[in-house]
């Protein structure tokens, strides 16, 4: 198994890159996807959130109203801390289990984690950063995802800076342009990943011979 981290700020296009790597054969463990699964109705995580924040965070059908939660936590550091205390341990346990399931397999495993740089919960063998100018990311969030500019800025302010992410990067995927302009950068990233995997395999083979 080759374990890699994939991160990028909100609005960077990280999910697009993640999906493209999955299409090329990577096993993607999507932290946001795990969160959504654990916050489904009937689960302990959603129950704990309702107990803390009240049933005002639920939609009429009993599912989580994510915007209602965002309206609470992104303007209140203590409430954000409380949310993280509920969600992060459960998510960490599930991600750990998915990594362990891949441990003995010969797969490229990509951890798609928005806060990989901020929290450093794992030790991947390489970190891929999807890099986007913050103003371009802000424009995407407002135009394509329905965020208000204030909400988008608040979320961005809670994340690592562009410079902090780039300082942790082993490979950078630039994404300031169109999907067509992004495609060759994804191809280059996949080539880099396979070179890394090949180098790891050679090193392990040499070690086995020495022993």
């Amino acid at each position: 198994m080759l374990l890699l981290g994939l991160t990028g700020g909100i609005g960077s296009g990280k999910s697009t890159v993640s999906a493209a790597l999955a299409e090329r054969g990577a096993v993607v463990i999507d932290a946001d996807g795990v969160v959504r699964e654990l916050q489904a109705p009937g689960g302990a995580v959603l129950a704990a959130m309702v107990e803390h924040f009240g049933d005002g965070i639920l939609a009429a059908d009993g599912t989580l109203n994510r915007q209602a939660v965002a309206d609470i936590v992104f303007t209140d550091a203590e409430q954000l801390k409380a949310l993280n205390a509920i969600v992060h341990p459960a998510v960490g346990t599930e991600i750990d289990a998915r990594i362990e399931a891949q441990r003995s397999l010969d797969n490229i495993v990509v951890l798609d984690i928005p806060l990989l740089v901020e929290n450093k919960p794992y030790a991947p063998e390489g970190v891929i950063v999807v890099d986007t100018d913050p103003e371009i990311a802000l424009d995407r969030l407002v135009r394509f995802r329905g965020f208000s500019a204030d909400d988008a800025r608040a979320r961005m302010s809670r994340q690592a800076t562009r410079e902090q992410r780039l300082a942790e990067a082993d490979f950078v995927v630039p994404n300031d342009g169109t999907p067509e302009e992004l495609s060759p950068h994804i191809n280059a990233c996949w080539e880099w990943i396979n070179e890394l995997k090949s180098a790891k395999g050679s090193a392990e083979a040499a070690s086995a011979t020495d022993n």
Side-chain angles (χ1 to χ4, degrees):
M1 176 185 75
L2 177 68
L3 183 66
L4 302 172
L6 172 67
T7 194
I10 186 171
S12 67
K14 176 179 60 63
S15 296
T16 300
V17 174
S18 177
L21 295 179
E23 288 174 359
R24 286 160 173 77
V27 175
V28 174
I29 300 175
D30 178 3
D32 284 344
V34 172
V35 170
R36 287 190 292 271
E37 290 176 28
L38 295 179
Q39 290 177 336
V45 172
L46 182 59
M49 289 176 64
V50 171
E51 182 177 353
H52 179 82
F53 296 107
D55 57 15
I57 65 170
L58 296 177
D61 62 358
T63 59
L64 182 64
N65 182 335
R66 299 183 188 282
Q67 187 59 51
V69 177
D71 290 343
I72 295 169
V73 304
F74 284 109
T75 56
D76 188 325
E78 289 304 311
Q79 292 285 42
L80 180 61
K81 187 183 297 184
L83 174 64
N84 289 341
I86 294 169
V87 175
H88 285 181
V91 172
T93 297
E94 179 61 25
I95 290 176
D96 286 344
R98 296 188 187 192
I99 292 172
E100 284 306 311
Q102 294 291 327
R103 187 73 67 184
S104 62
L105 303 177
D106 188 33
N107 290 328
I108 294 166
V109 179
V110 175
L111 294 175
D112 180 347
I113 300 181
L115 302 182
L116 183 68
V117 170
E118 293 85 335
N119 297 333
K120 297 185 178 179
Y122 301 96
E125 296 162 84
V127 173
I128 303 162
V129 171
V130 183
D131 178 53
T132 304
D133 182 286
E135 290 304 312
I136 293 175
L138 176 65
D139 180 65
R140 289 173 180 165
L141 293 171
V142 172
R143 284 203 295 153
F144 302 124
R145 292 176 58 180
F147 286 79
S148 69
D150 287 344
D151 186 15
R153 287 193 180 93
R155 294 180 188 232
M156 292 169 76
S157 72
R158 302 281 184 179
Q159 297 186 335
T161 65
R162 183 184 194 183
E163 292 72 23
Q164 287 170 329
R165 279 190 293 270
L166 289 174
E168 299 290 333
D170 295 299
F171 191 94
V172 177
V173 178
N175 186 26
D176 283 343
T178 65
E180 291 74 22
E181 292 169 328
L182 175 62
S183 183
H185 295 300
I186 296 174
N187 289 336
C189 180
W190 186 243
E191 184 177 340
W192 173 79
I193 289 171
N194 279 283
E195 289 173 355
L196 201 62
K197 187 171 186 290
S198 178
K200 179 181 180 180
S202 297
E204 289 175 346
S207 176
T209 301
D210 292 341
N211 292 334

